[in-house]
Each structure stands twice: as C-alpha cells, then as structure tokens.
Amino acid sequence: MCGIVGAVAQQNVTPILLEGLKRLEYRGYDSCGVALHVDGKLQRSRSTSRVADLQQQVAQSGLSGFTGIAHTRWATHGAPATHNAHPHFSRERIALVHNGIIENHDELRAELQAAGYVFESQTDTEVIAHLVDHMYDGDLFNTVQHAVRRLTGAYAIAVFCADEPHRVIAARQGSPLIVGVGEGQNFVASDAMALAGTTDQIIYLEEGDVVDLQLQKVWIVDAQGKPAEREVRTVQAYTSAVELGPYQHYMQKEIFEQPRAIADTLDGVVGIMPELFGDKAYKVFKEIDSILILACGTSYYAGLTAKYWIESIAKIPVNVEIASEYRYRDSVPNPRSLVVTISQSGETADTLAALKHARNLGMQHTLTICNVATSAMVRECELAYITRAGVEVGVASTKAFTTQLAALFLLTLALAQTRGLLTEAQEEAHLKAMRHLPAALQSVLALEPSIVAWAESFARRENALFLGRGLHYPIALEGALKLKEITYIHAEAYAAGELKHGPLALVTEQMPVVTIAPNDALVEKLKSNMQEVRARGGQLYVFADADSQIVSSEGLHVIRMPEHYGVLSPILHVVPLQLLSYHTALARGTDVDKPRNLAKSVTVE
C-alpha cells in the first residue's frame, strides 16, 4: 500500500525512481508520480494508470534531475485522480510524498487556508506540503523536524525544496521507511525492494526519526531531535523474486512456489524446541497460561487454524482477535498471556497498533510469526519465527499463508513439549509429516487440470458458498476470501453445521457450494450437511480425501486429494482453493495480481 522512493545523486535519478516504483507495484496502487529538482525548479509527472504509463510520460517530456522523489498511491482521502496523485507541491517550492493518514488534517487545512494557501486536492498529504512551506526557515531539515511535531496520525514522508539542491528530507511515524546508502548518492524508500539492484546497504528508520539525505551524508535525529546512530545492514532484496519466469502471473508463481517455501520455512528444524522462537522462549512458554492471537485478513484465518491446533495438542486456551477491532474494545488483559501477532510484511498498521495496545495493558510476552526479518513487527516482539516464504508479490496471499500455518504448527509442538505433552514418538511423527509436506503439496498442485474445468463453471456465477468443519472451517473462510479478492464473485464461508441456521435459504442450482471434506472425525456430519444442499438443488464442488467415500454424481462434483494428512490437512486443502480462485479469475479476465481497491501491504488503518 503506497510506495515511496527518493534519491540524491551525482547522476540523473529518474531511472532509479521509476525502477523503484516498478518494484513497489506489488503493494497495490491506483496512481503514481515523480518529481525532480530541475535547474532550481520543481517539475513533476503524474498518472492514474500504471507505472509503465508514467515512464512513457517522463520519456516524452525528457524529465531528469539529480534530486527527486516518486510515489505510488492507494487512495484514502480523495478519489484516484491526477490532482490527488503524489508528489504534491506547495507554491512551487516544496515537493512532498506521503504514506499514512494524518488525522488532524482538517484542523491544519483550515489554518493554512486562513494563511492564504489554496488547495488543489482532497488529500491529507497536501496539508503536509503546505505546512512545511508555511514553516520553512531556509533549512529544510530543521523545518521538517518542527513540522512533523504538528502532525497527528501515521506518516512516512519524503520532501525536497527548490531552494536546496541535492537534499531530500524524510521522516517516519507509524509507517515504514528505510534509507539506502551509496557511494556519493543516498536513497530513501518505503521498502528495501525498491532499491534492489541499486544498493544493499540499508538503514531501518525508527519511530520518530527524521533523516537528512545529501550526496555524501546521511544524518539522522530521533523523535527528541537528538542525533541518532542507526545500524547499516546488508540486505538482499530478492531481485529474482520479481521475475515471473515461466508463469503468467505472480499469484500463479507463488502458488507453485509453496513446496519450496514450506521447505525453506522448515529448514534447520532438526527437532522441536522452544528456542526455535528465540533464546527466551522456554522461560516465556513456562510462564504463560493462555494465548492471544492478533492478525488481519488471511493471517487472521491462519490464527483461527492455530487455535484448533494449540488447544487440541498443547492444551492452552487461545483467543483470536481481528487486530483492527481488538484495540478499540474493552478487553480483559491477562499478564500471563502470550500475545502472538501474524503478519506477512511485519508492517501491518492495525496489527502493530494492536500489539502496542496489548503491551500497554500489561501483556509483555510477545511473539510474531512474520515473513520479513527486518520488519517493525520483529523488532517490537520479544520472540519471533521468520517464515522465509520469500517475497510475495501477488496481492492475494498464498505462500505466506501456508508458511504461516507451518510456523504456527511448530509453535504448537514447542508449547506442547514445554508442558510435557509431547512424547519423543509424537515429535518424530509430526516432524516426519512436516518434512513430507513439500512432496505432498506437489501432488496437490498436480490436480490443477481438474480445477481448471471447475473454474470455467465458476466464472459464470456471481455468488458462492464455502463449507468446512473443525480445522477446515478457517480454510473455507480463506477460500471464500481468495475468490472475493481476485474474481469479484461474492463468496461467504460457514461452518457446515451452521448451514441450516440461515445460509441454506441462499441455496439454488445457481449457487455453487464448495466443500472441504477431509476424512476426519467430522466427515459423516459433513456428508449430512452436503445432503441438505443436494436436496435444495444446489451444486456441490467437493475436495475430498481419497478414502472419504464421497463419489461424483448428479449435482455432486468431486476432486480427490492425493492423501489424508491428519492435523496438517489444512495446509494441503487450501492449495486447490487458491488454484480455483486463480483460474476463475483468469476465466473472468480480472487483474489477478492487482485486484481493484486492494493493496498488498496495509500500512494505514
């Protein structure tokens, strides 16, 4: 969601800025723009199309310069329109880009209008540009430090001034921002991916930091205005991860990367031990008596699955909360609870805010399941497990979800072991099953041709139901979410036993009902629920284990899973649901990797 790239160099930075925007396209956006310092003046180009269109505009205009900023915008304040696109100017002196949301923008807007400023957009960002211009004292670094103290909300900004060539000032509070260090050139970006191939020397700015970027200098002050030393890290930004290779879309690529991603997530796990999650894990696990899981979207469904595992195997009570709801309700804190956050990016604003809220309530034991080792979530938590899924470009999460599940199952086993509930034989059996997951996933991916045939039928529908029971109810939720995200088909998921308590009224021959049918203790109950659908003329599409004795017939379409996988079955059963959504989206002609209105990394509330 929203991307920032800025550069100060002794060469034309336009190609660096535009390439950075291309690398950030996966985050989701609906407009983009670039501004440069050209002979003492500000010049810019903006587009409500893709970065490729912006590149054409820049090439035709010959726009170039040694200092510049660029942005991809995901609309919050103001519709996706050129006049709302970043960068924003103030009096042809200040150019600024911004990620986040300024909560007191109305108050500041009124003040600045009274001072004579005319607003050209509906954005909260233009308020910051005018505020910086209004407070400008001849030193942009000093001005920005004072200006950001007047902002309420979340922001990452990059700004330059027509009067100060070869200088970009950046600041962050609540939104991620990094600095790239080079030889005679320096950079700022919202994601290290933007600078892949340009520099691998990265500084992760902390909350409240303001940074002064010049040709030979990176100067950082903290929230109190005091000089701050920040570690320069060598970061490999996975440049190969943004190459499609033989695949048509990133989502397809990432679905097929899941066997490798799971193997990488489990790499180095030779036994179950609390220390997989950090040096202090054993002590923490011994002290806790409950677990609170905080997450959003797909990660929330991973948390719901983990609740079944942890309560069944480790015998610890688990609450799973939608992060954006948790911090705004009165809850009963438990200082002996382990707060577990789940996030692909580790920068999810709602989850970070919920984590801080939990800590403020006195819950100090924290652990994150995250895909980015250098993220804010990892830095904020006491314990962590890095899933190592690799960069996920497609907005609809696939390999991040299955690797989260793998990490959460490891957490389940580590908790059980700490409580004396895991024998050596059980540990060996679980580890053997987990090591077999990559091969099992390959077998599931081989079902793709049958799923393609189903997708042709789904593409003609506008509604769908998904059913699951027990461990597979959260997987049904995830399947419905995937279909909504990339096909725009309205889809809902229910615990199958709830069908007769309302949703059955929706069932007709025009309503496909996707059912997850593993051969577990609930399969006979599930068969009864399926009969309820058939009796109303509904069309059933069932992913069934080979030995579940569910066979195709009129109105009952069955794809057989290669094998029953016990408690790890959710990791396998979600993959055909991903493929079904992907191929249905192909048949409907939607933009698979960049679905409308959505962003990859949700860094605002």
Side-chain angles (χ1 to χ4, degrees), residues 160-179:
F160 71 89
C161 177
D163 298 339
E164 300 184 53
H166 290 114
R167 195 181 200 189
V168 170
I169 310 301
R172 67 151 297 194
Q173 179 70 48
S175 289
L177 202 63
I178 61 100
V179 170

Side-chain angles (χ1 to χ4, degrees), residues 106-417:
D106 283 334
E107 170 193 333
L108 293 171
R109 183 186 297 265
E111 176 186 324
L112 290 162
Q113 285 175 328
Y117 285 88
V118 177
F119 285 77
E120 299 178 353
S121 75
Q122 291 81 48
T123 67
D124 54 339
T125 300
E126 191 179 3
V127 170
I128 314 173
H130 291 321
L131 179 65
V132 171
D133 182 83
H134 185 55
M135 298 179 69
Y136 185 61
D137 61 3
D139 183 337
L140 189 61
F141 186 48
N142 185 63
T143 299
V144 171
Q145 289 180 69
H146 287 91
V148 295
R149 290 172 190 157
R150 301 212 50 204
L151 303 179
T152 301
Y155 58 81
I157 62 171
V159 54
F160 71 89
C161 177
D163 298 339
E164 300 184 53
H166 290 114
R167 195 181 200 189
V168 170
I169 310 301
R172 67 151 297 194
Q173 179 70 48
S175 289
L177 202 63
I178 61 100
V179 170
V181 180
E183 293 284 339
Q185 55 185 0
N186 291 300
F187 313 93
V188 65
S190 50
D191 188 327
M193 174 68 77
L195 304 180
T198 299
T199 181
D200 61 1
Q201 299 300 294
I202 303 297
I203 298 171
Y204 289 87
L205 296 179
E206 298 186 9
E207 290 287 270
D209 281 355
V210 182
V211 58
D212 182 356
L213 299 178
Q214 299 184 37
L215 289 174
Q216 305 290 345
K217 169 185 172 182
V218 172
W219 179 257
I220 301 171
V221 296
D222 63 18
Q224 285 71 48
K226 297 178 181 179
E229 292 291 332
R230 302 289 183 236
E231 180 186 357
V232 180
R233 308 185 189 187
T234 301
V235 175
Q236 301 301 322
Y238 308 106
T239 54
S240 63
V242 296
E243 298 171 2
L244 271 174
Y247 298 99
Q248 191 171 352
H249 296 92
Y250 287 110
M251 182 179 180
Q252 181 188 28
K253 177 185 182 219
E254 288 153 11
I255 289 172
F256 279 85
E257 284 177 341
Q258 287 176 112
R260 174 61 183 272
I262 291 285
D264 288 345
T265 295
L266 301 177
D267 187 38
V269 178
V270 295
I272 300 301
M273 60 193 75
E275 288 73 20
L276 290 169
F277 299 87
D279 294 339
K280 300 178 182 177
Y282 179 78
K283 182 177 182 292
V284 171
F285 291 176
K286 291 293 285 186
E287 291 179 0
I288 63 167
D289 61 9
S290 65
I291 291 174
L292 170 64
I293 297 177
L294 303 172
C296 302
T298 286
S299 295
Y300 172 70
Y301 298 147
L304 289 178
T305 307
K307 175 181 173 72
Y308 284 92
W309 282 335
I310 295 170
E311 292 194 341
S312 173
I313 298 171
K315 307 300 181 187
I316 303 175
V318 178
N319 287 323
V320 187
E321 296 262 7
I322 297 171
S324 59
E325 291 292 314
Y326 170 71
R327 65 182 292 221
Y328 293 114
R329 73 175 187 85
D330 291 330
S331 58
V332 181
N334 176 9
R336 296 189 63 192
S337 187
L338 174 64
V339 179
V340 177
T341 63
I342 310 171
S343 171
Q344 189 280 134
S345 68
E347 305 289 352
T348 308
D350 288 320
T351 308
L352 280 168
L355 169 65
K356 293 175 183 177
H357 177 66
R359 283 211 310 258
N360 289 338
L361 292 176
M363 292 183 282
Q364 299 304 312
H365 293 315
T366 57
L367 182 153
T368 189
I369 304 296
C370 184
N371 189 35
V372 183
T374 54
S375 65
M377 203 80 71
V378 174
R379 297 196 300 271
E380 292 280 344
C381 284
E382 183 180 21
L383 306 173
Y385 193 91
I386 309 304
T387 56
R388 300 171 67 185
V391 173
E392 189 178 63
V393 176
V395 167
S397 182
T398 52
K399 64 178 181 175
F401 178 69
T402 49
T403 54
Q404 285 171 355
L405 290 179
L408 288 163
F409 192 71
L410 283 176
L411 176 61
T412 299
L413 298 181
L415 290 166
Q417 185 194 68

Side-chain angles (χ1 to χ4, degrees), residues 46 141 169 208 285 292 410 490 528 541 557 559 567 575:
R46 297 182 290 180
F141 186 48
I169 310 301
F285 291 176
L292 170 64
L410 283 176
H490 173 242
S528 297
Y541 293 82
H557 314 276
I559 289 178
V567 291
V575 174

